[in-house]
C-alpha cells in the first residue's frame, strides 16, 4: 500500500510539471538571469581584427567573456582599479610604441593587483619571473623587488613585447608569447605552418589568454551592458604623491616613512617594490620613492 502511495505521489509531481512547462523558465523575484554575452560586431586587438566569422574564434570569445562577466567580485575589483593604474601604464606603453590595448594584458595577468604573486613565482602587475626580470634589468632581492615597481615593470614588459613583435610580426602573437614564451610560440608556428594566433593550437591556457585580454577590453568599455553598475565616483582614483630620492648606504624604510609624514603601510602601498623594513644599498643606487601628499597616520 505504501509503495502504491509513493508511486502516485511521484506521478502527480511529474504531471504538475508537465502541465505547465513554461514555469521552468520563470525566475524567482530577485534572481538575475544568466545570459550569453553580446560580442561587439567589430572587434580588434592592437589594431588587428579578430576573425569573429570563424566559429571557433567566436565561441572562444563568448566563453572567455562569460567568465569575465560572471566572475563578479574579481572583475568588479579590476574595473574599479583601472583608472588608478592605467594612468601609470598608458604613458609608458605609448612612449615605447606598444599599442594601448596591452594595458588589458596586465589586467589578465594580475587583475591589477600590484602585490600579485603566482604559484609559479611570477610577481607584480605584469607577473614577471625573477630570471626574466634580471634579464630585463630589474633588481630582485629580499628587500627590493622591482617586479612590483609598476613603472619599471611596465618598461620591462614593453621590452619583451617589442622583441616578440619583431620576431612574430603580429601583436596578437606577441601577446600569446607573453603567456607561453617566445620559444613555445615559435615551435608551434613551425610545426603547424601558420602565422595567425587564431589558427594556432596551443595549451588551453594560451588559447584562452588573448580572449581573456579582449574580454576585459570589452567589459571595461561598457561595464553596465555586462551587469557592472559602476558610477564615475566608484573608480579608485590615482594616488597623489610627491617623489623623493634616497641613496643612503643603509635605508630604514619605517624611519623614512615617519620622517616624511606617513607610515610604513602607506609607503609600501605607493611603493610595493619595497619588500622589507631595511635595505643595504650595496650598489649605491638612487631610489625614487613616492611619498603621499596627505598624512595618513592615525592621530
Amino acid at each position: 500500500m505504501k509503495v502504491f502511495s509513493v508511486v502516485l505521489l511521484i506521478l502527480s509531481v511529474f504531471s504538475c510539471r508537465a502541465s505547465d512547462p513554461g514555469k521552468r523558465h520563470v525566475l524567482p523575484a530577485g534572481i538575475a538571469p544568466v545570459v550569453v554575452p553580446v560580442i561587439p560586431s567589430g572587434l580588434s586587438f592592437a589594431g588587428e581584427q579578430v576573425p569573429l566569422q570563424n566559429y571557433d574564434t567566436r565561441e572562444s570569445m563568448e566563453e572567455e567573456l562569460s567568465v569575465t562577466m560572471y566572475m563578479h567580485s574579481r572583475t568588479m575589483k579590476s574595473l574599479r582599479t583601472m583608472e588608478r593604474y592605467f594612468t601609470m601604464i598608458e604613458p609608458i606603453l605609448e612612449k615605447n610604441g606598444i599599442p594601448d590595448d596591452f594595458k588589458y594584458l596586465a589586467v589578465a595577468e594580475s587583475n591589477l593587483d600590484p602585490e600579485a604573486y603566482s604559484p609559479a613565482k611570477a610577481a607584480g602587475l605584469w607577473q614577471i619571473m625573477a630570471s626574466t626580470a634580471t634579464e630585463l634589468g630589474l633588481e630582485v632581492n629580499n628587500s627590493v623587488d622591482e617586479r612590483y615597481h609598476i613603472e619599471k615593470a611596465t618598461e620591462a614588459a614593453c621590452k619583451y613585447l617589442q622583441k616578440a613583435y619583431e620576431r612574430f610580426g603580429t601583436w596578437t602573437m606577441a601577446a600569446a608569447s607573453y603567456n607561453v614564451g617566445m620559444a613555445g610560440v615559435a615551435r608551434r608556428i613551425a610545426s603547424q605552418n601558420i602565422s595567425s594566433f587564431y589558427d594556432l593550437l596551443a595549451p588551453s591556457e594560451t588559447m584562452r589568454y588573448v580572449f581573456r585580454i579582449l574580454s576585459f577590453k570589452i567589459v571595461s568599455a561598457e561595464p553596465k551592458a555586462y551587469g557592472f553598475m559602476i558610477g564615475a565616483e566608484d573608480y579608485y582614483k590615482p594616488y597623489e604623491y610627491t617623489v623623493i630620492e634616497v641613496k643612503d648606504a643603509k635605508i630604514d624604510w619605517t624611519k623614512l616613512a615617519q620622517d616624511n609624514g606617513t607610515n610604513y603601510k602607506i609607503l609600501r602601498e605607493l611603493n610595493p617594490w619595497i619588500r622589507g623594513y631595511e635595505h643595504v644599498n650595496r650598489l649605491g643606487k638612487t631610489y625614487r620613492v613616492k611619498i603621499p601628499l596627505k598624512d595618513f597616520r592615525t592621530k
Side-chain angles (χ1 to χ4, degrees):
M1 185 69 178
K2 288 183 179 179
V3 173
F4 181 71
S5 299
V6 170
V7 171
L8 283 178
L9 177 61
I10 293 172
L11 288 174
S12 65
V13 169
F14 277 100
S15 175
C16 289
R17 286 183 177 178
S19 65
D20 193 1
K23 286 187 176 181
R24 290 180 299 146
H25 302 291
V26 177
L27 291 170
I31 301 297
V34 178
V35 299
V36 176
V38 177
I39 300 175
S41 56
L43 183 61
S44 66
F45 175 73
E48 300 169 2
Q49 290 301 306
V50 180
L52 294 173
Q53 69 277 8
N54 297 340
Y55 84 91
D56 57 327
T57 300
R58 188 171 191 86
E59 289 178 8
S60 295
M61 188 68 259
E62 287 176 344
E63 179 181 348
E64 208 56 40
L65 188 53
S66 294
V67 173
T68 298
M69 183 176 171
Y70 291 110
M71 194 75 73
H72 298 120
S73 60
R74 184 198 70 177
T75 301
M76 176 65 85
K77 183 178 180 181
S78 296
L79 291 169
R80 295 185 71 191
T81 55
M82 283 181 180
E83 183 177 341
R84 172 173 293 169
Y85 294 113
F86 282 178
T87 57
M88 303 181 195
I89 292 172
E90 289 169 346
I92 299 172
L93 295 177
E94 183 178 10
K95 182 186 73 174
N96 286 278
I98 304 298
D100 188 67
D101 279 351
F102 275 93
K103 63 191 180 189
Y104 300 108
L105 185 149
V107 186
E109 284 287 341
S110 64
N111 295 313
L112 291 183
D113 177 4
E115 294 281 354
Y117 189 77
S118 77
K121 300 182 179 180
L125 284 187
W126 295 91
Q127 289 292 278
I128 301 173
M129 299 292 288
S131 57
T132 304
T134 302
E135 292 173 5
L136 295 171
L138 299 179
E139 181 179 357
V140 179
N141 55 57
N142 291 333
S143 56
V144 168
D145 191 337
E146 291 180 334
R147 293 179 296 169
Y148 297 97
H149 193 300
I150 295 168
E151 292 87 350
K152 288 188 177 183
T154 303
E155 291 278 3
C158 287
K159 289 179 184 177
Y160 178 94
L161 292 167
Q162 186 62 53
K163 185 176 180 181
Y165 178 72
E166 290 170 359
R167 182 169 184 178
F168 300 119
T170 74
W171 289 115
T172 319
M173 279 294 195
S177 79
Y178 201 91
N179 177 260
V180 76
M182 288 191 221
V185 168
R187 183 172 65 252
R188 289 173 175 84
I189 287 175
S191 299
Q192 299 172 33
N193 192 28
I194 52 91
S195 58
S196 170
F197 165 78
Y198 301 103
D199 294 328
L200 180 70
L201 178 64
S204 60
E205 182 185 348
T206 306
M207 298 280 284
R208 296 178 59 183
Y209 189 67
V210 171
F211 296 107
R212 183 158 74 248
I213 297 169
L214 282 165
S215 73
F216 285 111
K217 176 182 177 179
I218 292 170
V219 174
S220 67
E222 202 173 355
K224 290 182 180 179
Y226 295 93
F228 295 93
M229 303 295 109
I230 309 177
E233 70 282 1
D234 295 321
Y235 291 96
Y236 297 148
K237 303 306 176 187
Y239 294 120
E240 295 182 347
Y241 60 86
T242 187
V243 175
I244 64 171
E245 292 189 344
V246 182
K247 52 184 177 182
D248 300 344
K250 186 175 181 179
I251 305 169
D252 182 331
W253 295 115
T254 299
K255 185 176 184 303
L256 178 75
Q258 293 174 344
D259 289 347
N260 286 274
T262 188
N263 55 45
Y264 180 75
K265 174 186 176 183
I266 299 300
L267 185 75
R268 274 285 301 268
E269 184 171 341
L270 268 65
N271 304 276
W273 51 272
I274 298 173
R275 307 309 293 176
Y277 292 106
E278 294 181 343
H279 176 60
V280 178
N281 189 8
R282 293 185 176 87
L283 300 178
K285 292 179 63 174
T286 298
Y287 296 95
R288 291 175 57 80
V289 182
K290 297 174 183 176
I291 301 294
L293 296 180
K294 178 184 176 182
D295 188 344
F296 286 90
R297 292 174 295 180
T298 303
K299 301 296 188 288

